[in-house]
Amino acid sequence: MKAIDLRSDTVTQPTADMRAAMMASPLGDDVFGDDPSVNALQEKIAAMLGFEAALFVPTGTQSNLCAVLSHCQRGDEYIVGQMQHAYRWEGGGAAVFGSVQPQPLDHQPDGTLAVADIAAAIKPDDPHFARSRLLSLENTLGGKVLPLAYLQEATTFARSKGLSTHLDGARLFNAAVAQAAANGSDARAEARRIAGLFDSVSVCFSKGLGAPIGSALCGSRELIGRARRIRKMAGGGMRQSGMLAAAATFALDHHIERLAQDHALARRLAEGLAGIEGLRVEPPHTNILFVDLTGPAREKSAGLVDALAREGVLATGLYRLRFVTHLDVDAAGVDRAVAAVRSCFQG
Ligand SMILES: *Cc1c(COP(=O)(O)O)cnc(C)c1O
């Protein structure tokens, strides 16, 4: 039987309809700016999120790199959370390629960066210090939706101090769908509301939206012009990339509202695992579930992920397991995952 792969929402296969859209896409050379499918995607995502322009890039990592290097010069710094992808999981790219120094801050339990901490991290204009230039936030962060009121407060404060603002919205649409469910509104309107608070936003098509490859950076025409130059330097100027852009456009048309199903499956998984002794389950906001091993259950941690794999369930973690739901998981798969975890803890 095929494994239930809960390691990440990046593992999805393009659906038959998405593949058909890719095969049918008109193509050109995007470095010359004449791939119609790339141009259509860029216009669509920019309009959806309320920006002048957008740039299609191969990965979210490159998108965040293009953003930081477009906002900052050598010797500038960006304020960022310790657990954010754009600080912790991108090989230090902003420092390596841009000589831009990160100023990491600890997160509050809800995933936010305290505005007082941001204030304290901003350096005065003094030759001792790097120039504080950018505030970078992430939503969702580890599956948590940052409150809209917080995003408003933090971005307003940053702007009042002369900082630009960037959102790593790899899972922006998961945040938007959860927020829409909470206040009875529309996911696309919520995405636009969140994005509208920032000078630039990066979104991933290759996560819950189910496209095979690709991200977009959105911003002003001027910022995206700078980002295009950086994308080229980073080796991200692709040619007939319209096939990939078509998959992303298909995802925007068909796979946003359905993220609610992934969130419901994460809750189903949480409820199933909560019944197993020794597991502390964090109630999921969206499609990412963290489960801590407590007490004697911790002794099972070594080899647990391998034992689960032998049961046909793939997850990551050691004392803190991570399960991510997505397009290629259904309720039966979630129930199999619960049964597999139970058998590991009973066996
Ligand atoms: C996945 C992810 C990225 C980018 O990842 P790539 O693998 O480079 O596409 C950036 N930020 C966050 C929060 C992510 O989850």
Side-chain angles (χ1 to χ4, degrees):
M1 211 194 293
K2 197 165 167 288
I4 309 297
D5 196 343
L6 299 167
R7 290 172 302 169
S8 177
D9 47 9
T10 55
V11 301
T12 55
Q13 297 278 324
T15 63
D17 288 347
M18 181 181 279
R19 287 172 197 253
M22 295 169 75
M23 292 308 290
S25 57
L27 304 176
D29 186 327
D30 181 52
V31 173
F32 290 114
D34 50 46
D35 187 305
S37 302
V38 170
N39 291 338
L41 171 66
Q42 290 175 164
E43 281 160 28
K44 185 186 189 78
I45 186 70
M48 272 180 75
L49 298 181
F51 288 97
E52 283 177 359
L55 187 68
F56 185 52
V57 289
T59 64
T61 298
Q62 190 172 100
S63 191
N64 283 329
L65 180 69
C66 287
V68 175
L69 271 56
S70 298
H71 285 292
C72 302
Q73 301 288 319
R74 300 181 69 212
D76 289 350
E77 74 173 9
Y78 69 110
I79 296 171
V80 63
Q82 283 279 2
M83 296 306 289
Q84 281 179 227
H85 202 280
Y87 170 63
R88 204 178 192 86
W89 305 96
E90 296 183 1
V96 173
F97 299 122
S99 301
V100 179
Q101 162 171 292
Q103 166 60 72
L105 301 179
D106 288 333
H107 295 269
Q108 300 302 302
D110 66 357
T112 60
L113 304 179
V115 173
D117 291 347
I118 297 170
I122 297 173
K123 318 290 184 292
D125 181 7
D126 174 315
H128 288 91
F129 301 125
R131 295 170 300 242
S132 307
R133 191 71 79 201
L134 175 69
L135 173 65
S136 173
L137 298 176
E138 181 179 316
N139 192 25
T140 63
L141 179 97
K144 284 194 173 107
V145 180
L146 304 195
L148 188 66
Y150 164 76
L151 296 178
Q152 258 150 359
E153 187 193 357
T155 53
T156 302
F157 176 75
R159 206 157 287 128
S160 77
K161 296 292 178 185
L163 268 56
S164 302
T165 54
H166 172 67
L167 179 68
D168 179 354
R171 297 188 180 85
L172 169 67
F173 287 107
N174 292 90
V177 163
Q179 208 163 281
N183 56 27
S185 75
D186 169 71
R188 290 165 196 259
E190 293 297 332
R192 205 181 159 86
R193 191 167 291 150
I194 297 167
L197 299 171
F198 293 86
D199 297 313
S200 62
V201 173
S202 172
V203 291
C204 286
F205 304 116
S206 56
K207 303 272 166 85
L209 292 180
I213 290 174
S215 293
L217 179 65
C218 303
S220 67
R221 230 180 287 290
E222 201 212 335
L223 183 100
I224 295 303
R226 288 200 294 277
R228 184 179 296 280
R229 171 176 286 274
I230 291 153
R231 182 187 69 170
K232 187 68 184 151
M233 285 194 281
M238 299 183 287
R239 303 294 179 171
Q240 285 73 34
S241 43
M243 289 184 95
L244 301 172
T249 296
F250 183 91
L252 290 175
D253 287 340
H254 301 284
H255 290 172
I256 292 179
E257 284 74 15
R258 68 151 305 286
L259 291 170
Q261 297 169 34
D262 300 345
H263 300 176
L265 287 179
R267 291 194 295 273
R268 184 186 181 103
L269 183 59
E271 283 158 19
L273 296 179
I276 298 172
E277 193 167 327
L279 300 188
R280 188 170 55 227
V281 178
E282 263 187 23
H285 287 195
T286 56
N287 69 327
I288 303 180
L289 179 67
F290 287 101
V291 177
D292 291 309
L293 309 190
T294 64
R298 289 174 72 82
E299 285 158 29
K300 298 253 178 173
S301 65
L304 179 60
V305 163
D306 291 339
L308 278 173
R310 285 194 294 276
E311 302 267 340
V313 174
L314 306 183
T316 57
L318 188 58
Y319 294 110
R320 185 171 171 80
L321 299 174
R322 189 181 89 146
F323 301 89
V324 186
T325 56
H326 52 73
L327 195 57
D328 291 352
V329 182
D330 59 11
V334 162
D335 295 347
R336 247 182 79 197
V338 172
V341 175
R342 176 166 287 132
S343 97
C344 285
F345 280 94
Q346 283 167 353

